Amino acid sequence: MSARIIQSNDTPFEKKAIDPVTLDIIENALRNARVEMDATLVRTAMSPGIREQGDAFPLIADHLGRMIVGQFGSYIGPFLEGYEGTVEDGDMIMLSDPYSVEGAISHCNDWLVLLPVFKDGRLLGYTSMFGHQSDIGGKVPGSMPIDATSIFQEGVRIPPIKIYKNGQYNEELINLIMHQVRTPDWCRADLNALIASCRVASRRIIELAERFGDDVYVSATEELLARNYRAMKQLIATAVSEEPVSFEDYICDDGMGFGPYKLKCTMQREGEKVILDFAGTDPQSVASINFLLNENMMKMFFGIYMIMVFDPQILFNDGYYDLIEVRIPKGSLLKPQFPAALSGRTHALGRLFDLLGGLLGQKTPEFLNAAGFSSSPHLFYAGTDKKGDWFQLFQIGFGGIPGRPLGDGPDGHSLWPGFTNVPNEFLERYFPLIIERYETVADSGGAGLHRGGNGIMMSYRFLEPGVIAIHDDRWFVPPWGVNGGKPGARATKILEKPDGTKTIVGNKVEDMAVEANDILHFVTWGGGGWGDPLDRDPALVAKEITQGLVTAEGAKAYGVVIAADGSVDEAATAGSRDRMRSERGDASLFDFGPSIEELRASCEAETGLLAPVQPQWPDYQIAAE
């Protein structure tokens, strides 16, 4: 079973020699086309998640479906293998069902548009864009129910369908889809934006082929893939050991009282190939924190991490995929069986980056990153205002990015480098709320030679009764530090009533009723620290105290003593650091903080919440891949 590519011109492309100047022009033109896709999207979408935060991801692929520029790697190969229909000039395909593309999109909120690019009867390439829809129906506003036990509870599932066939738009089908969602105006506008983005990139591909010739264009894309292969082959040979290295981290809970859930990966090199084996990862959850991890996506995550650490000038593309083998046990948290719920997959998705950091840095500690990518905090707020109009907010929050070999982790920053915050002015203009506080949380970043980024506190005063949902993690298992760095602070959420009463609420909460003038204090985690905090410049610590990033009490973690006038007491600091070094001994490679057992014992006293209990596994066993 596979798609049939219908071409009126079956003449094969002729291999051409590509000079460096031509290759550079085509490469940068494709990079710019990706930027133009993003620009088109944010200027035509309506939902704040896409329009303001940029929760959408473009892709430009070659005629075989291999990604040339993009971010998540290509899903086109698995799609074509599983698609029973035809691919013809004038077609455009839409889908949102993760199980239909082997997890290349990871939950049903992501609507994906795929446009085959034909020129003179031959398939020249593909353009694609997917974006997170703020609502797709289902049991809760936002369509990401924490307590879902099946994907059928998570809103409309769209299998691969042609929204354009032979150039004709299927308006009735789109109307049917929009009938299932709570925010049809947003969804329709966002879908049109996805379509427009794909068409923009399609025009740029055709323009390049017209300028240089079809054969030269295709040969250039093949050379870009081959160049990436050569570069990654060298990186793997120098940075990945033949000796197996394992690492594990934990998702705190599933929102239903169970956790933590272990993610484990073992990495080794066999000849030229890297093996990433997730044996030892916990079985899938009965709740929605499962992540249907596509093997190509994991290859791209690995490649991006390698490239950004070792050689950021390399272009991301699929050229190196043959150098990586990913093994994921079926029935595990990362390869759940249909119809497992998937809407809360963001925690496992974020934790994979922490896992990669722990794997890749063990043999080369100078390149080791601390933990703190970890998750993607979400807030949902929905209800009916005084005019009787429905309102619905979906917002992605920000945590502390981990300390790094090159410096401190950014404070209050997004996991995804292309994301931005929703401006407070936008929130207050379009939703019945006021942002009371929006600030970094001092001392939440783990202490280190390079400090972990601080998390943020965002305080929302709700002006209308409604319901909220919170999706966050790193409240139970803290983000670990490395090379002597300390763990970051954990996340917390506090609901304050108008009379001043404060209640700590969970970090995975669904359908919580709020009243007018309730305040939610949304506090995210801090990144782990990198390097020995006793080596950090005392003057920098003192400066950060004046900036509100570190407190005088927090300075003690660095052995820094602050005088009454705010300056560093150098003699007292030297004595403090000598004493701390002698009491501590050598700095550890990893500092995970307390053990899971210790965390369970101290959880309620430290977080105000009950500790999660051992997960309840389904009644089937994980099958070997």
Side-chain angles (χ1 to χ4, degrees):
M1 180 177 66
S2 61
R4 289 189 300 118
I5 311 298
I6 307 298
Q7 302 182 103
S8 60
N9 180 357
D10 293 326
T11 305
F13 295 106
E14 181 181 346
K15 179 69 175 179
K16 297 287 187 179
I18 307 298
D19 65 85
V21 174
T22 299
L23 185 66
D24 191 58
I25 292 172
I26 292 175
E27 174 188 351
N28 283 283
L30 291 172
R31 288 179 186 260
N32 290 337
R34 175 193 167 171
V35 173
E36 193 173 1
M37 292 177 76
D38 287 332
T40 301
L41 188 78
V42 300
R43 283 166 171 77
T44 50
M46 283 185 62
S47 69
I50 295 180
R51 171 182 163 182
E52 300 296 329
Q53 299 211 267
D55 190 358
F57 301 93
L59 172 114
I60 299 174
D62 73 350
H63 64 294
L64 299 179
R66 297 171 296 183
M67 188 186 84
I68 305 301
V69 293
Q71 185 160 339
F72 274 123
S74 180
Y75 41 79
I76 298 174
F79 161 74
L80 293 175
E81 291 173 5
Y83 182 53
E84 297 181 358
T86 61
V87 176
E88 305 178 54
D89 195 1
D91 289 350
M92 183 179 288
I93 296 165
M94 175 187 178
L95 61 95
S96 73
D97 176 23
Y99 289 105
S100 69
V101 283
E102 301 180 7
I105 54 171
S106 51
H107 66 166
C108 291
N109 286 75
D110 288 334
W111 285 8
L112 182 150
V113 168
L114 174 64
L115 174 63
V117 181
F118 285 84
K119 179 178 179 291
D120 300 327
R122 287 196 295 182
L123 180 64
L124 201 59
Y126 296 88
T127 66
S128 182
M129 177 76 85
F130 72 84
H132 180 103
Q133 299 298 322
S134 295
D135 189 275
I136 57 168
K139 63 186 294 189
V140 297
S143 314
M144 297 171 62
I146 291 169
D147 58 351
T149 58
S150 165
I151 197 169
F152 294 109
Q153 298 169 322
E154 297 176 336
V156 61
R157 292 169 53 231
I158 306 171
I161 54 174
K162 291 185 179 181
I163 55 174
Y164 279 90
K165 185 174 183 178
N166 297 324
Q168 297 298 310
Y169 188 56
N170 193 337
E171 184 72 28
E172 290 187 354
L173 174 63
I174 300 303
N175 289 340
L176 175 63
I177 294 172
M178 298 304 165
H179 193 68
Q180 315 304 313
V181 308
R182 295 177 179 85
T183 56
D185 290 346
W186 282 3
C187 288
R188 190 181 295 274
D190 290 354
L191 176 58
N192 289 337
L194 297 172
I195 292 171
S197 297
C198 291
R199 292 205 183 283
V200 164
S202 174
R203 288 197 295 271
R204 300 297 173 257
I205 291 174
I206 291 172
E207 289 168 359
L208 284 170
E210 288 175 341
R211 177 180 177 183
F212 295 101
D214 298 358
D215 295 329
V216 170
Y217 172 79
V218 170
S219 297
T221 61
E222 291 176 347
E223 175 57 26
L224 290 173
L225 291 164
R227 188 181 66 182
N228 191 282
Y229 178 93
R230 295 191 296 269
M232 187 61 69
K233 180 179 176 180
Q234 183 174 353
L235 287 183
I236 288 172
T238 57
V240 180
S241 171
E242 292 182 336
E243 180 183 350
V245 175
S246 294
F247 196 77
E248 59 189 48
D249 205 345
Y250 296 84
I251 300 169
C252 295
D253 71 320
D254 59 8
M256 298 175 71
F258 300 104
Y261 287 80
K262 180 172 67 176
L263 302 179
K264 181 178 180 180
C265 187
T266 300
M267 177 182 70
Q268 66 182 106
R269 179 167 53 84
E270 295 181 359
E272 297 176 348
K273 181 177 290 188
V274 173
I275 308 299
L276 299 173
D277 190 342
F278 286 90
T281 294
D282 277 345
Q284 70 187 65
S285 171
V286 297
S288 67
I289 62 167
N290 303 296
F291 178 27
L292 183 59
L293 177 58
N294 177 267
E295 284 78 3
N296 280 355
M297 184 183 292
M298 185 61 210
K299 292 176 182 180
M300 180 55 64
F301 290 166
F302 176 85
I304 289 174
Y305 202 100
M306 290 280 288
I307 288 168
M308 294 306 295
V309 169
F310 295 106
D311 191 352
Q313 297 304 312
I314 298 175
L315 174 70
F316 300 153
N317 66 38
D318 290 0
Y320 61 85
Y321 279 9
D322 290 343
L323 294 169
I324 304 171
E325 180 179 340
V326 179
R327 303 169 182 169
I328 310 173
K330 292 180 180 178
S332 70
L333 196 74
L334 298 178
K335 190 66 69 174
Q337 296 179 346
F338 178 82
L342 304 174
S343 61
R345 91 289 185 233
T346 185
H347 314 297
L349 174 58
R351 203 64 104 252
L352 284 177
F353 287 94
D354 288 343
L355 201 65
L356 282 172
L359 276 174
L360 291 169
Q362 289 186 48
K363 297 297 184 181
T364 53
E366 65 273 18
F367 294 112
L368 190 62
N369 272 355
F373 290 105
S374 297
S375 186
S376 182
H378 294 356
L379 173 68
F380 302 82
Y381 171 42
T384 303
D385 63 20
K386 292 182 176 65
K387 297 183 293 183
D389 295 331
W390 175 257
F391 63 86
Q392 185 175 323
L393 170 66
F394 159 69
Q395 182 182 9
I396 300 172
F398 298 85
I401 298 299
R404 306 162 295 164
L406 298 179
D408 295 346
D411 300 303
H413 201 283
S414 169
L415 156 68
W416 306 111
F419 277 16
T420 58
N421 67 309
V422 179
N424 293 343
E425 296 81 2
F426 181 97
L427 292 172
E428 294 179 343
R429 170 63 180 83
Y430 289 101
F431 301 98
L433 56 79
I434 295 173
I435 306 301
E436 300 269 331
R437 300 173 69 183
Y438 187 33
E439 59 191 40
T440 60
V441 181
D443 298 333
S444 58
L449 170 64
H450 300 153
R451 177 176 58 78
N454 285 330
I456 65 169
M457 171 184 283
M458 197 165 181
S459 297
Y460 301 82
R461 180 185 293 274
F462 304 116
L463 302 181
E464 298 280 5
V467 294
I468 64 170
I470 301 167
H471 295 198
D472 200 6
D473 208 65
R474 282 298 189 197
W475 69 272
F476 180 65
V477 180
W480 31 269
V482 298
N483 293 328
K486 298 299 180 182
R490 295 181 284 185
T492 188
K493 309 294 179 287
I494 302 168
L495 186 64
E496 180 179 351
K497 305 299 287 186
D499 63 3
T501 303
K502 295 182 179 180
T503 303
I504 296 176
V505 299
N507 284 268
K508 295 183 182 69
V509 176
E510 198 68 71
D511 265 344
M512 175 182 287
V514 292
E515 301 297 328
N517 289 313
D518 284 356
I519 300 175
L520 175 67
H521 302 288
F522 195 105
V523 182
T524 59
W525 72 90
W530 189 98
D532 192 343
L534 302 183
D535 292 334
R536 190 170 176 85
D537 183 358
L540 179 57
V541 176
K543 178 181 180 181
E544 291 191 318
I545 291 175
T546 65
Q547 294 173 328
L549 301 173
V550 177
T551 66
E553 182 67 21
K556 295 178 181 179
Y558 302 91
V560 174
V561 180
I562 303 299
D565 63 358
S567 63
V568 176
D569 186 328
E570 295 184 3
T573 294
S576 173
R577 288 184 162 185
D578 289 343
R579 182 175 63 257
M580 292 174 69
R581 284 192 177 94
S582 64
E583 293 173 352
R584 179 199 66 194
D586 294 335
S588 59
L589 183 60
F590 293 99
D591 188 340
F592 296 101
S595 68
I596 297 296
E597 292 73 20
E598 291 170 330
L599 289 170
R600 290 192 195 278
S602 64
C603 182
E604 187 170 6
E606 294 182 359
T607 70
L609 300 170
L610 295 176
V613 300
Q614 178 67 33
Q616 291 183 334
W617 308 126
D619 59 1
Y620 50 80
Q621 299 294 316
I622 296 180
E625 183 71 41

